[in-house]
Amino acid sequence: MTENTQTPSSPDSELPTQYAPAEVEGKLYERWVERGYFDADAKSEKPPYTIVIPPPNVTGSLHLGHAFEHTLIDALTRRKRMQGYETLWQPGMDHAGIATQNVVERELAKEGKSRHDLGREAFVERVWQWKGESGGQISGQMRRLGDGVDWSRERFTMDEGLSEAVQTIFKKLYDDELIYRAERIINWCPRCLTAISDIEVEYQDDDGELVSIRYGDGDASIVVATTRAETMLGDTAVAVHPDDERYAHLVGTEIELPLTGRRIPVVADEHVDPEFGTGAVKVTPAHDPNDFEIGQRHGLPNLAVMDEHAVITVHGPFQGLDRLEARSAIVAALRADGRIVAEKRPYSHSVGHCSRCKTTIEPRLSMQWWVKVGPLAQAAGDAVRDGKVKIHPQEMEKRYFDWVDNLHDWCISRQLWWGHRIPVWYGPAGEVVCVGPDEQPPAGEGWTQDTDVLDTWFSSGLWPFSTLGWPRQTESLAKFYPNSVLVTGYDILFFWVARMMMFGLYAMDGTPPFHTIALHGMVRDQFGKKMSKSFGNAVNPLDWMDKYGSDAVRFTLARGANPGVDVPIGEDWVQASRNFANKIWNATRFALMNGATIEGQLPAPEEMSATDRWILSRLNKTVAQVDAFYEDYQFSKLSEALYHFAWDEVFDWYVELSKTTFFAGGEGARVSGRVLGEVLDVTLRLLHPVVPFVTETLWTTLTGRESLVIAEWPSDSGFRDEAAEAEIENLQAVVTEVRRFRADQGLQPGQKVPARLDLAGTALAAHEGAIRQMLRLQPEGDDFNATATLPVAGAKVALDLSGTIDVAAERKRLTKDLGAAEKEKQQAQAKLGNEAFLAKAPDNVVDKIKGRLAKAEADIARIQAQLDGLPQA
């Protein structure tokens, strides 16, 4: 794309008096898409810049977490596009196996049907139908936010190309003996009837009961405590620590398991904590992951006592009971048998729940497919250790290493119908055949395909390269892989990020999927509390967009985005961002009405006023500062820098200081008009990635050019004028001090006051007109009586407040302020005079105290001068 100088479709040269986001945003976005601004060209010779969208679930809708993450990614990609990169922000959605299946099953339930009534093939067809009609509403909501994604490349984890990628890598892993089938303990949801991943388990404190049960009798007895009494039916041992002398005589013997008539061994295992409880634990290998490991070490049998619905399947009196019914019945039976030693009720403890249906998770021994993650995780860890991939902020590296260095094998099979079906066929004679995408499955009587599907994280782990056409060697893959950066929440560092790292390095010959992992925090409410419907503090970002505009929501989110830190947000802050957008609008309208222009070269510095040179110097420093913050993913800091530069320096100071020049007309007005046009041009470019809609409207009006989306990103020209900056800082000090004094006296902002300005010997003499205008100061008359004199920045401002000031009250107030300043000076001097303190205090603490002393001394001088300037009573 090239930047056109003029287009017939540019907005009108006049702006409405008020900014109405609803009338602008939708039309602008569609124009951007229609003109292909966001489309990435694999044939381009520009350097690539690639980011993939963390694929939202097809069942989902835009929430504040999405809006937050998308704002950050959009800001990065818009800036890189303006910098001349061939920029790809890859969009798409995740098929969200369990969530989507649940949605469609609920729809079927309304019709009085289950998926089994339809059968697998018809049910999957029904899910595709739902996806076409109702899935993916988030795409439209992303447009509302302004996401600059390449919609022509939109992908879905179940589409044909990505399904080929899934089958290809499964086959490759299987052939390399990195995928295997085994019986292990998994998280099982009795409602969804499938294994689920760790990330799909939500832990919360539930009230239950802790019962202590005596196994065996007399000297051959042991007391164990449990919150899940129903699992005792599957106990196959009791374990104690090898060094626990209390039970040394029992190790190697057998004791009777109550209610069952079975005898079970006592084993010694170092996993047991002798200090916890009685120092003895029941071992149920088929229903607890730690117990399973103990069982493996000691060759214990795995006795499953529940089916997939969590219904008891053994021991007559309890057979057929739900696990919770069985728990009460078993405790009652044990109590009747005199086996209950102690009961604690209620007993609060952490319990895992299915994140989809909230059912309590049941650890269950099950035959599943697994990825052997050892060598994959080693490579994923080494890529960060070796510097191939950087994690930002760096302190998150430890959490990453703690995870990848201790990964257990990954359960990838799910007992669902919606998802990528495992490409393994079983033959009539026990044959097992894994089929690749270019191979035909075995045919003939007795051959069946595995009924399970793959974990959703398996396909989303391929996202950085499967979306670019892998396993085919496409132009897009060659151009845009590896991704430049991954922007995602720290909460899925372990699940999604680690899997992408493992698969990317494995499939792409050791090339990691991205150069940088930029981690952000979670969006919380204004009090720092997690947002949740159950808490009543969840916010629909679309409501805020309707009320305040998308730019306001985006700027609020970016302004709160410190790397790796949670982001509090409240409606008041969005309203403040809306006010910022309005400020930009009004200031640009003023500038356009007063001759601001980008036509022609900038005047030479000697043609400019100090005010002009000051704002250009500050502008270039801001460009450099914003660039540095972008490179460090400091979205909050760059937003703050832009906010204060635009509002404080450009709109509140430069525009105000230039009004006298504009009103006077002539050459000075022409020069300042060109400078103001330059400042607005660059400021709007800098703001555009974060607030694209209002800046696009204003910039195209100001410049007459096609679009900010394809405009050039501003660069620091190197222009600096420290003298002009110091001069304007002194002017600001004068104006600020007099304003403060006026406010203290209760004067109205527009109230005019006679004043004498003593600016001789300072550079401020050239600004007397601007100072008088900004402060509403009239020239002194013949009857001028200086009732107060304010010395500041080498100048003196004498004010005649006769009849408007209570001299006694003002003297009392200043005397109080003087006392406070003197006390602050004494405290600072005392610390700086304490040798013991100076020997221990860090340099930054000492510097801070020195700063307090300097400020106190300046305050004392200022206040004393004001007191001296007051008329005597």
Side-chain angles (χ1 to χ4, degrees), residues 10 86 196 234 326 397 461 501 543 563 605 678 694 781 785-786 824:
S10 294
E86 192 60 38
I196 65 174
E397 281 187 4
M501 286 285 284
D543 292 340
E678 181 76 11
V694 67
N785 177 30
E824 176 73 5

Coordinates of all heavy atoms in Angstrom, one line a residue, residues 10 86 196 234 326 397 461 501 543 563 605 678 694 781 785-786 824:
S10 N -12.2 11.1 0.9 CA -11.8 11.7 2.2 C -12.9 12.4 2.8 O -13.8 13.0 2.1 CB -10.6 12.6 1.9 OG -9.5 11.9 1.5
E86 N 5.2 -5.9 6.3 CA 4.1 -6.6 5.7 C 3.5 -7.3 6.9 O 4.0 -8.3 7.4 CB 4.6 -7.6 4.7 CG 3.4 -8.3 3.9 CD 2.6 -7.2 3.1 OE1 3.2 -6.3 2.6 OE2 1.4 -7.4 3.1
I196 N -11.0 -34.3 30.9 CA -10.8 -32.9 30.6 C -9.4 -32.5 31.0 O -8.7 -33.2 31.9 CB -11.8 -32.0 31.2 CG1 -11.7 -32.1 32.7 CG2 -13.2 -32.4 30.8 CD1 -12.7 -31.1 33.4
G234 N -12.3 -49.1 47.0 CA -11.3 -49.4 46.0 C -9.9 -49.4 46.6 O -8.9 -49.4 45.8
A326 N -23.4 -42.7 48.1 CA -22.6 -43.8 48.6 C -21.8 -43.3 49.8 O -21.6 -44.0 50.8 CB -21.7 -44.4 47.6
E397 N 9.7 -15.8 33.3 CA 10.5 -17.0 32.9 C 10.5 -18.1 33.9 O 10.4 -19.3 33.6 CB 11.9 -16.6 32.5 CG 12.1 -15.9 31.2 CD 13.6 -15.7 30.9 OE1 14.4 -16.1 31.6 OE2 13.8 -15.0 29.8
G461 N -2.5 -25.9 19.6 CA -1.1 -25.9 19.7 C -0.3 -25.8 18.4 O 0.8 -25.4 18.3
M501 N 4.9 -24.0 21.8 CA 6.4 -24.1 21.8 C 6.8 -25.5 21.5 O 7.7 -25.8 20.6 CB 6.9 -23.7 23.1 CG 6.9 -22.2 23.4 SD 8.1 -21.3 22.4 CE 9.6 -21.7 23.4
D543 N -21.5 -2.8 25.7 CA -22.3 -1.8 26.4 C -21.6 -0.5 26.5 O -22.1 0.6 26.2 CB -22.8 -2.3 27.7 CG -23.8 -3.4 27.6 OD1 -24.4 -3.6 26.6 OD2 -24.0 -4.1 28.6
P563 N 3.0 -4.9 31.8 CA 3.3 -6.3 31.5 C 3.1 -7.2 32.6 O 3.7 -7.0 33.7 CB 4.8 -6.2 31.0 CG 5.0 -4.8 30.6 CD 4.1 -3.9 31.4
P605 N 14.0 27.0 12.2 CA 13.9 27.3 13.7 C 14.0 28.8 14.0 O 13.3 29.3 14.9 CB 15.1 26.6 14.3 CG 15.3 25.4 13.3 CD 15.0 26.0 12.0
E678 N 1.8 20.4 12.0 CA 2.8 19.3 12.1 C 2.6 18.5 13.4 O 2.6 17.3 13.4 CB 4.2 19.9 12.1 CG 5.3 18.9 12.2 CD 5.6 18.2 10.9 OE1 5.0 18.6 9.8 OE2 6.3 17.2 10.9
V694 N -11.3 7.9 16.0 CA -11.3 9.3 16.1 C -10.1 9.9 15.4 O -10.1 11.0 14.7 CB -11.4 9.8 17.5 CG1 -10.1 9.5 18.3 CG2 -11.7 11.3 17.6
G781 N -3.5 50.2 36.2 CA -4.0 51.6 36.0 C -3.3 52.6 36.9 O -2.4 52.2 37.7
N785 N -2.7 49.3 43.1 CA -2.2 49.0 44.4 C -1.9 47.6 44.6 O -2.8 46.7 44.6 CB -3.3 49.4 45.5 CG -2.8 49.2 46.9 OD1 -1.6 49.2 47.2 ND2 -3.8 48.9 47.8
A786 N -0.6 47.3 44.6 CA -0.1 45.9 44.7 C -0.4 45.3 46.0 O 0.3 45.6 47.0 CB 1.3 45.8 44.3
E824 N 9.2 20.3 57.2 CA 9.7 19.3 56.2 C 11.2 19.5 56.0 O 11.9 18.5 55.9 CB 8.9 19.6 54.9 CG 9.4 18.7 53.7 CD 9.0 17.2 53.9 OE1 8.3 16.9 54.8 OE2 9.4 16.4 53.0

